Amino acid sequence: MEGAEEEVQCPVCLRELPGADINSHLDRCLQAGDAEAEPGSSPPSKRPRLAAAPPGTQAQGEPEEARPAAASPRVFSLFHKGRGGGQSPGAAGGRSGAGREEAAVKPEKGGSATAAAGGGASLAQKLEGQPLAERLRPDTLGDYVGQERVLGAQTLLRSLLESHEIPSLILWGPPGCGKTTLAHIIANSSKKNGTRFVTLSATSAKTNDVRDVISQAQNEKRLFKRKTILFIDEIHRFNKSQQDTFLPHVECGTVTLIGATTENPSFQVNAALLSRCRVIVLEKLSVEAMEAILMRAVRSLGVQVLGQGDQHGSSATGSSSESSEFPVYIEEKALNTLAYLCDGDARTGLNGLQLAVQARLAAGKTTPLNTTKGGSADGILITEEHVKEGLQRSHILYDRAGEEHYNCISALHKSMRGSDENASLYWLARMLEGGEDPLYVARRLVRFASEDIGLADPLALTQAVAAYQGCHFIGMPECEVILAQCVVYFARAPKSIEVYRAYSNVKECLRMHTGPLPPVPLHLRNAPTRLMKNLGYGKGYKYNPMYKEPVEQDYLPEELKGTDFFKERKT
């Protein structure tokens, strides 16, 4: 018809309506849809059937207001597109899509994922995503395990943290000892107290990032009187000039700096910055602390612990039967072994436990277990071998460029000096198995041969040089026995520091001398030219091989005549 108004399709109910009526119609459609979503409306199972009515089934001329609210197919075709494999909203595919949507909501509302997943899904979901070490990181000092010497009751640092008076700190300790966790606890505490906490990692942050944080800290302090704590992880990765950026702002209190490092701060942190911070030394966790951490992880996962005397014990709270078809158990011996093998590194221990549990869940193999009631049940058992496999290695803590490098070579040197051949071999193996360069060890042995054995066994130096050459020729692992032979030889050899001490006395004499150094006596000078001979160079020198008797001749400068550097000097 000429002049007829163009019709528009409603995106809610898919009806064709005149363009002038579409706005008021949309309001009524959406209000009716909200009414259906309120409590007491029709059950969710009826939604697919209501939505299935095709738009063309309504009688022509029937007014929109006369239709029942439950009968309007309020389904957005855009959202349901593809759910039923390309079918229309009224097809069976639309119902299956709504059913899947409902099933996905049920576990969240009911609090149980068992209905939506198969056996073991809940425990597997707990192990997915974040590593176990990150998920179980404590938020309060009460949950912090270990470091009793630094954070125990009545200690200075604990009192400061509990009173929210946090000084600038450098947290120094081996990996996995709790440095980042302690910073995480300080962050939670400071946020509750209104203090701003900013975290940066020196592995990725640049100097401009630090300047931005400091600028924001200055604004916060000036405008809101709000303190800022800046945590720098792996602070030793910043070079000296980058560390200088903190100096004036730590000095005036613009930021409170907390740095974490695995390297010795004396070598890796500026002395000026170090003087403005308190160094907190964190030691590697004890076996008891590691057992407590692992037990807490086991409880959080719902895994039950089998004691050494019982074949079925429920030391852990909760039950894994809620989350898997077969319960999951772990031997107490496996936890103890893991606590020993991780060498005080909580991160390594928790990751090893996570890998072992995940591997057993993936394998899905069950083991018949005798229960305390005399019956039998099937369960997934994690043994000591599974834990060792998850850890993959004995986790030797050694850093070729860090503190442990110097600690181990010092221990080797002192063990050979003390003639303890067993300890000498142990520290040598500790270094080589940790990945130390054998040529570095060989060079230290050359030094030891003259410093600590010296003239008591002149062949020691020959042994050391031969060992270095052998290591250079064949390399690791074949050269390890060459170094072992040399180390045992040095441990058993007689010791003498006569030469070492005499040379030290000479150096001290040179350092303590005041004024210009004495000239070389004329009779000891070389005279290759006529001019030098005319000046008296070499005059009066006695050539010793030409004399059968001992020659009386002075060789020291006039001021040092009679000096004996081999005698022990008074300090």
Side-chain angles (χ1 to χ4, degrees):
M1 180 184 297
E2 186 177 356
E5 188 174 358
E6 184 180 357
E7 291 189 347
V8 181
Q9 187 181 41
C10 174
V12 180
C13 64
L14 306 180
R15 289 191 59 207
E16 298 288 343
L17 297 170
D21 301 334
I22 188 64
N23 290 334
S24 59
H25 170 77
L26 274 174
D27 293 339
R28 290 193 298 271
C29 271
L30 294 176
Q31 289 173 2
D34 292 340
E36 273 191 359
E38 293 177 356
S41 62
S42 58
S45 58
K46 291 185 179 181
R47 289 181 184 173
R49 185 164 62 249
L50 297 175
T57 56
Q58 178 185 350
Q60 293 293 332
E62 181 182 359
E64 176 66 22
E65 294 79 17
R67 297 183 61 197
S72 59
R74 297 173 182 87
V75 178
F76 287 93
S77 59
L78 177 63
F79 300 151
H80 283 263
K81 183 177 180 180
R83 278 189 175 179
Q87 301 177 12
S88 65
R95 290 193 295 269
S96 64
R100 284 197 301 271
E101 184 180 16
E102 194 67 26
V105 175
K106 271 189 177 182
E108 296 180 5
K109 292 183 178 180
S112 174
T114 310
S122 181
L123 181 56
Q125 288 173 358
K126 290 180 181 179
L127 295 173
E128 289 177 355
Q130 284 184 320
L132 192 59
E134 181 65 26
R135 186 180 297 109
L136 296 181
R137 196 182 295 279
D139 295 326
T140 62
L141 279 175
D143 296 332
Y144 192 86
V145 178
Q147 309 300 341
E148 292 297 325
R149 187 178 63 85
V150 176
L151 288 171
Q154 307 302 324
T155 57
L156 175 63
L157 181 58
R158 191 181 188 96
S159 301
L160 291 174
L161 295 181
E162 289 176 346
S163 61
H164 305 290
E165 295 293 336
I166 301 171
S168 292
L169 303 172
I170 299 293
L171 305 176
W172 172 33
C177 68
K179 301 183 296 296
T180 307
T181 298
L182 183 57
H184 178 74
I185 292 173
I186 294 174
N188 288 338
S189 175
S190 62
K191 289 176 182 177
K192 295 177 182 178
N193 196 39
T195 303
R196 184 166 166 264
F197 193 94
V198 182
T199 300
L200 292 178
S201 176
T203 59
S204 58
K206 299 179 181 178
T207 307
N208 288 337
D209 300 328
V210 176
R211 290 196 177 103
D212 291 342
V213 172
I214 292 175
S215 177
Q216 294 173 9
Q218 290 172 334
N219 293 335
E220 292 279 343
K221 184 179 180 181
R222 183 177 66 255
L223 299 177
F224 308 109
K225 307 299 181 182
R226 189 182 181 194
K227 297 180 180 178
T228 298
I229 298 177
L230 175 59
F231 173 61
I232 304 293
D233 199 11
E234 307 293 340
I235 192 172
H236 61 273
R237 297 292 187 94
F238 276 155
N239 57 38
K240 302 296 184 181
S241 61
Q242 288 174 312
Q243 293 178 21
D244 286 340
T245 308
F246 302 111
L247 287 177
H249 309 289
V250 173
E251 178 75 24
C252 67
T254 301
V255 294
T256 298
L257 177 66
I258 299 179
T261 178
T262 56
E263 305 294 337
N264 191 333
S266 302
F267 304 135
Q268 302 296 334
V269 180
N270 274 0
L273 183 60
L274 206 59
S275 68
R276 292 162 171 81
C277 301
R278 180 183 177 89
V279 178
I280 304 297
V281 181
L282 303 180
E283 300 174 348
K284 68 179 182 179
L285 298 173
S286 64
V287 175
E288 293 75 14
M290 281 305 311
E291 289 176 347
I293 292 172
L294 293 173
M295 190 62 68
R296 177 191 295 173
V298 164
R299 289 194 180 101
S300 70
L301 295 175
V303 177
Q304 300 187 37
V305 180
L306 290 179
Q308 295 181 355
D310 301 329
Q311 294 213 346
H312 178 202
S314 57
S315 307
T317 58
S319 174
S320 60
S321 60
E322 296 178 359
S323 59
S324 64
E325 184 178 353
F326 295 103
V328 180
Y329 302 95
I330 185 170
E331 293 179 345
E332 184 179 0
K333 184 180 180 182
L335 289 178
N336 295 338
T337 300
L338 184 57
Y340 275 97
L341 290 183
C342 65
D343 195 25
D345 188 337
R347 187 179 293 106
T348 298
L350 291 172
N351 290 342
L353 174 64
Q354 180 176 359
L355 287 175
V357 175
Q358 285 178 324
R360 293 299 294 163
L361 287 177
K365 296 180 180 179
T366 60
T367 304
L369 300 170
N370 295 327
T371 63
T372 53
K373 297 180 180 180
S376 61
D378 289 340
I380 298 176
L381 179 62
I382 302 170
T383 64
E384 182 181 12
E385 294 302 320
H386 299 143
V387 166
K388 288 182 178 179
E389 186 179 0
L391 199 60
Q392 288 295 318
R393 62 191 180 101
S394 61
H395 189 64
I396 297 176
L397 178 62
Y398 187 79
D399 183 3
R400 288 177 56 181
E403 179 73 10
E404 201 67 11
H405 165 84
Y406 299 102
N407 291 340
C408 286
I409 193 62
S410 176
L412 173 62
H413 200 132
K414 291 178 172 64
S415 299
M416 292 188 297
R417 181 184 295 153
S419 300
D420 190 333
E421 55 197 43
N422 294 292
S424 301
L425 278 179
Y426 172 79
W427 293 115
L428 173 67
R430 177 91 168 253
M431 297 177 71
L432 296 180
E433 294 302 313
E436 182 58 80
D437 181 10
L439 291 179
Y440 168 77
V441 180
R443 287 193 296 269
R444 298 304 305 169
L445 293 179
V446 173
R447 166 72 182 192
F448 183 90
S450 289
E451 177 181 338
D452 288 272
I453 297 176
L455 297 179
D457 185 357
L459 290 178
L461 184 58
T462 306
Q463 284 277 344
V465 174
Y468 180 88
Q469 293 288 346
C471 292
H472 179 70
F473 289 153
I474 64 177
M476 283 289 287
E478 288 83 359
C479 72
E480 60 187 13
V481 68
I482 298 177
L483 292 174
Q485 173 184 328
C486 188
V487 162
V488 173
Y489 182 95
F490 286 178
R492 294 177 177 177
K495 308 297 188 297
S496 171
I497 60 170
E498 182 183 19
V499 175
Y500 174 73
R501 187 169 54 193
Y503 188 74
S504 298
N505 291 338
V506 174
K507 291 194 296 183
E508 183 183 2
C509 175
L510 292 173
R511 284 194 300 267
M512 301 300 294
H513 184 82
T514 57
L517 292 175
V520 178
L522 287 176
H523 70 282
L524 296 180
R525 299 185 187 186
N526 188 27
T529 66
R530 183 181 299 274
L531 175 62
M532 291 180 175
K533 289 181 180 179
N534 293 336
L535 293 175
Y537 283 28
K539 185 178 182 180
Y541 172 69
K542 297 177 181 179
Y543 186 63
N544 299 68
M546 296 179 61
Y547 297 86
K548 294 181 179 180
E549 302 295 330
V551 176
E552 293 292 335
Q553 190 170 224
D554 293 327
Y555 299 96
L556 283 172
E558 186 70 25
E559 297 93 314
L560 298 177
K561 282 184 179 180
T563 302
D564 188 354
F565 293 109
F566 287 87
K567 288 185 178 180
E568 187 171 359
R569 300 167 70 92
K570 295 182 179 180
T571 57

Coordinates of all heavy atoms in Angstrom, one line a residue, residues 299-341:
R299 N 46.2 -30.8 53.8 CA 44.8 -30.6 54.3 C 44.0 -29.7 53.4 O 42.8 -29.9 53.2 CB 45.0 -29.9 55.7 CG 45.5 -30.8 56.8 CD 45.3 -30.2 58.2 NE 45.8 -31.0 59.2 CZ 46.9 -30.8 59.9 NH1 47.7 -29.8 59.5 NH2 47.3 -31.6 60.8
S300 N 44.6 -28.7 52.8 CA 43.8 -27.8 51.9 C 43.3 -28.5 50.7 O 42.3 -28.2 50.1 CB 44.7 -26.6 51.5 OG 45.7 -27.0 50.7
L301 N 44.1 -29.5 50.3 CA 43.7 -30.3 49.1 C 42.7 -31.4 49.4 O 42.1 -32.0 48.5 CB 44.9 -30.9 48.4 CG 45.9 -29.9 47.8 CD1 47.1 -30.6 47.3 CD2 45.2 -29.1 46.7
G302 N 42.5 -31.7 50.7 CA 41.6 -32.8 51.1 C 42.2 -34.2 50.9 O 41.5 -35.2 50.8
V303 N 43.5 -34.2 50.8 CA 44.2 -35.5 50.7 C 44.5 -36.0 52.1 O 44.9 -35.3 53.0 CB 45.6 -35.3 49.9 CG1 46.3 -36.6 49.8 CG2 45.3 -34.8 48.5
Q304 N 44.3 -37.3 52.3 CA 44.4 -38.0 53.6 C 45.8 -38.6 53.7 O 46.4 -39.1 52.7 CB 43.4 -39.0 53.8 CG 41.9 -38.4 53.7 CD 40.9 -39.5 54.1 OE1 41.1 -40.3 55.0 NE2 39.8 -39.4 53.4
V305 N 46.4 -38.6 54.9 CA 47.7 -39.0 55.2 C 47.7 -40.4 55.8 O 46.9 -40.7 56.8 CB 48.5 -38.1 56.1 CG1 49.9 -38.6 56.4 CG2 48.5 -36.7 55.5
L306 N 48.4 -41.3 55.2 CA 48.6 -42.7 55.8 C 49.8 -42.7 56.7 O 50.9 -42.5 56.3 CB 48.7 -43.7 54.6 CG 47.5 -44.0 53.7 CD1 47.9 -45.0 52.7 CD2 46.4 -44.5 54.5
G307 N 49.5 -43.0 58.0 CA 50.6 -43.1 58.9 C 51.5 -44.3 58.7 O 51.1 -45.2 58.0
Q308 N 52.6 -44.3 59.3 CA 53.6 -45.4 59.1 C 53.1 -46.6 59.8 O 53.3 -47.7 59.3 CB 55.0 -45.0 59.7 CG 55.6 -43.8 58.9 CD 57.0 -43.5 59.5 OE1 57.4 -44.0 60.5 NE2 57.6 -42.5 58.8
G309 N 52.3 -46.5 60.9 CA 51.8 -47.7 61.6 C 50.5 -48.2 61.0 O 50.2 -49.4 61.1
D310 N 49.7 -47.3 60.5 CA 48.4 -47.6 60.0 C 48.4 -47.6 58.5 O 49.1 -46.9 57.9 CB 47.3 -46.6 60.5 CG 47.3 -46.6 62.1 OD1 47.6 -47.7 62.7 OD2 47.0 -45.5 62.6
Q311 N 47.5 -48.5 58.0 CA 47.4 -48.5 56.5 C 46.3 -47.5 56.0 O 46.2 -47.3 54.9 CB 47.0 -49.9 56.0 CG 48.1 -50.9 56.3 CD 48.1 -52.0 55.2 OE1 47.2 -52.1 54.4 NE2 49.2 -52.7 55.2
H312 N 45.6 -47.0 57.0 CA 44.6 -46.0 56.6 C 44.4 -45.0 57.7 O 43.8 -45.4 58.7 CB 43.3 -46.6 56.2 CG 42.2 -45.6 55.8 ND1 40.9 -45.9 55.9 CD2 42.3 -44.4 55.4 CE1 40.2 -44.8 55.5 NE2 41.0 -43.9 55.2
G313 N 44.9 -43.9 57.6 CA 44.7 -42.9 58.7 C 44.2 -41.6 58.1 O 44.6 -41.2 57.0
S314 N 43.4 -40.9 58.8 CA 42.8 -39.6 58.3 C 43.4 -38.5 59.1 O 42.7 -37.8 59.8 CB 41.3 -39.6 58.4 OG 40.9 -39.9 59.7
S315 N 44.7 -38.3 59.0 CA 45.3 -37.2 59.8 C 44.9 -35.9 59.2 O 44.8 -34.9 59.9 CB 46.8 -37.3 59.7 OG 47.3 -38.6 60.1
A316 N 44.5 -35.9 57.9 CA 44.2 -34.6 57.3 C 42.7 -34.4 57.5 O 41.9 -35.3 57.5 CB 44.5 -34.7 55.8
T317 N 42.4 -33.1 57.6 CA 41.0 -32.7 57.8 C 40.3 -32.8 56.4 O 40.9 -32.6 55.4 CB 40.8 -31.3 58.4 OG1 41.5 -30.4 57.5 CG2 41.4 -31.3 59.8
G318 N 39.0 -33.0 56.4 CA 38.3 -33.1 55.2 C 38.4 -34.4 54.6 O 39.1 -35.3 55.0
S319 N 37.7 -34.7 53.5 CA 37.7 -35.9 52.8 C 37.7 -35.7 51.3 O 37.0 -34.9 50.8 CB 36.5 -36.8 53.2 OG 36.5 -38.0 52.4
S320 N 38.6 -36.4 50.6 CA 38.7 -36.3 49.2 C 37.6 -37.0 48.5 O 37.4 -36.9 47.3 CB 40.0 -36.8 48.7 OG 40.1 -38.2 49.0
S321 N 36.8 -37.8 49.3 CA 35.7 -38.5 48.6 C 34.6 -37.5 48.1 O 33.8 -37.8 47.3 CB 35.1 -39.4 49.6 OG 34.6 -38.8 50.8
E322 N 34.6 -36.3 48.7 CA 33.6 -35.3 48.2 C 34.0 -34.8 46.8 O 33.1 -34.3 46.1 CB 33.6 -34.1 49.2 CG 33.2 -34.4 50.6 CD 33.2 -33.2 51.5 OE1 33.6 -32.2 51.0 OE2 32.8 -33.3 52.7
S323 N 35.2 -34.9 46.4 CA 35.6 -34.3 45.2 C 36.1 -35.3 44.2 O 36.4 -34.9 43.1 CB 36.8 -33.3 45.4 OG 37.9 -34.0 46.0
S324 N 36.2 -36.6 44.5 CA 36.6 -37.6 43.5 C 35.9 -38.9 43.8 O 35.5 -39.2 44.9 CB 38.1 -37.8 43.5 OG 38.5 -38.3 44.8
E325 N 35.8 -39.7 42.8 CA 35.2 -41.0 42.9 C 36.0 -41.9 43.8 O 35.4 -42.6 44.6 CB 35.1 -41.6 41.5 CG 34.3 -43.0 41.5 CD 34.2 -43.5 40.1 OE1 34.6 -42.8 39.2 OE2 33.7 -44.7 40.0
F326 N 37.3 -41.8 43.8 CA 38.2 -42.5 44.7 C 38.9 -41.5 45.6 O 39.5 -40.5 45.1 CB 39.2 -43.4 43.9 CG 38.5 -44.4 43.0 CD1 38.4 -44.3 41.7 CD2 38.1 -45.6 43.6 CE1 37.8 -45.3 40.9 CE2 37.5 -46.6 42.9 CZ 37.3 -46.4 41.5
P327 N 39.0 -41.8 46.9 CA 39.8 -40.9 47.7 C 41.3 -41.0 47.4 O 41.8 -41.9 46.9 CB 39.5 -41.5 49.1 CG 39.1 -42.9 48.9 CD 38.4 -42.9 47.6
V328 N 42.0 -39.9 47.7 CA 43.4 -39.7 47.5 C 44.1 -39.8 48.8 O 43.8 -39.1 49.7 CB 43.7 -38.4 46.7 CG1 45.2 -38.3 46.4 CG2 42.9 -38.4 45.4
Y329 N 45.2 -40.6 48.9 CA 46.0 -40.8 50.1 C 47.4 -40.5 49.7 O 47.9 -40.7 48.6 CB 45.8 -42.2 50.7 CG 44.4 -42.6 51.0 CD1 43.7 -43.3 50.1 CD2 43.9 -42.2 52.2 CE1 42.4 -43.7 50.4 CE2 42.6 -42.6 52.5 CZ 41.8 -43.3 51.6 OH 40.5 -43.7 51.9
I330 N 48.2 -40.1 50.7 CA 49.6 -39.9 50.6 C 50.3 -40.5 51.8 O 49.8 -40.3 53.0 CB 50.0 -38.4 50.4 CG1 51.5 -38.3 50.1 CG2 49.6 -37.6 51.6 CD1 51.9 -36.9 49.7
E331 N 51.4 -41.2 51.6 CA 52.1 -41.8 52.7 C 52.8 -40.7 53.6 O 53.3 -39.7 53.0 CB 53.2 -42.8 52.2 CG 52.6 -44.0 51.6 CD 53.7 -44.9 51.0 OE1 54.9 -44.5 51.0 OE2 53.4 -46.1 50.7
E332 N 52.8 -40.9 54.9 CA 53.5 -39.9 55.7 C 55.0 -39.9 55.4 O 55.6 -38.9 55.5 CB 53.2 -40.3 57.2 CG 53.8 -39.3 58.2 CD 53.6 -39.7 59.6 OE1 52.9 -40.7 59.9 OE2 54.0 -39.0 60.5
K333 N 55.5 -41.1 55.1 CA 56.9 -41.2 54.7 C 57.2 -40.4 53.5 O 58.3 -39.8 53.4 CB 57.3 -42.7 54.5 CG 58.8 -42.9 54.2 CD 59.1 -44.4 54.0 CE 60.6 -44.6 53.7 NZ 60.9 -46.0 53.4
A334 N 56.3 -40.3 52.6 CA 56.5 -39.5 51.4 C 56.6 -38.0 51.7 O 57.4 -37.3 51.1 CB 55.3 -39.7 50.4
L335 N 55.8 -37.5 52.7 CA 55.9 -36.1 53.1 C 57.2 -35.9 53.8 O 57.8 -34.8 53.6 CB 54.7 -35.8 54.0 CG 53.3 -35.7 53.3 CD1 52.3 -35.4 54.4 CD2 53.3 -34.6 52.2
N336 N 57.6 -36.8 54.6 CA 58.9 -36.6 55.3 C 60.1 -36.6 54.3 O 61.0 -35.7 54.5 CB 59.1 -37.7 56.3 CG 58.1 -37.7 57.4 OD1 57.4 -36.7 57.7 ND2 57.8 -38.8 58.1
T337 N 60.0 -37.5 53.3 CA 61.1 -37.5 52.3 C 61.1 -36.2 51.6 O 62.2 -35.6 51.3 CB 60.9 -38.7 51.4 OG1 60.9 -39.9 52.1 CG2 62.0 -38.7 50.3
L338 N 59.9 -35.7 51.2 CA 59.9 -34.4 50.4 C 60.4 -33.3 51.3 O 61.1 -32.4 50.8 CB 58.4 -34.2 50.0 CG 58.1 -33.0 49.2 CD1 59.0 -33.0 47.9 CD2 56.7 -32.9 48.8
A339 N 60.1 -33.3 52.6 CA 60.6 -32.2 53.4 C 62.1 -32.2 53.5 O 62.7 -31.1 53.6 CB 60.0 -32.4 54.8
Y340 N 62.7 -33.4 53.4 CA 64.2 -33.5 53.4 C 64.8 -33.1 52.1 O 65.8 -32.3 52.0 CB 64.6 -34.9 53.8 CG 64.7 -35.1 55.3 CD1 63.6 -35.7 56.0 CD2 65.8 -34.7 56.1 CE1 63.7 -36.0 57.3 CE2 65.9 -35.0 57.4 CZ 64.8 -35.6 58.1 OH 64.8 -35.8 59.4
L341 N 64.2 -33.6 51.0 CA 64.8 -33.4 49.7 C 64.7 -32.0 49.2 O 65.5 -31.6 48.4 CB 64.1 -34.3 48.7 CG 64.4 -35.8 48.8 CD1 63.7 -36.6 47.7 CD2 65.9 -36.1 48.8

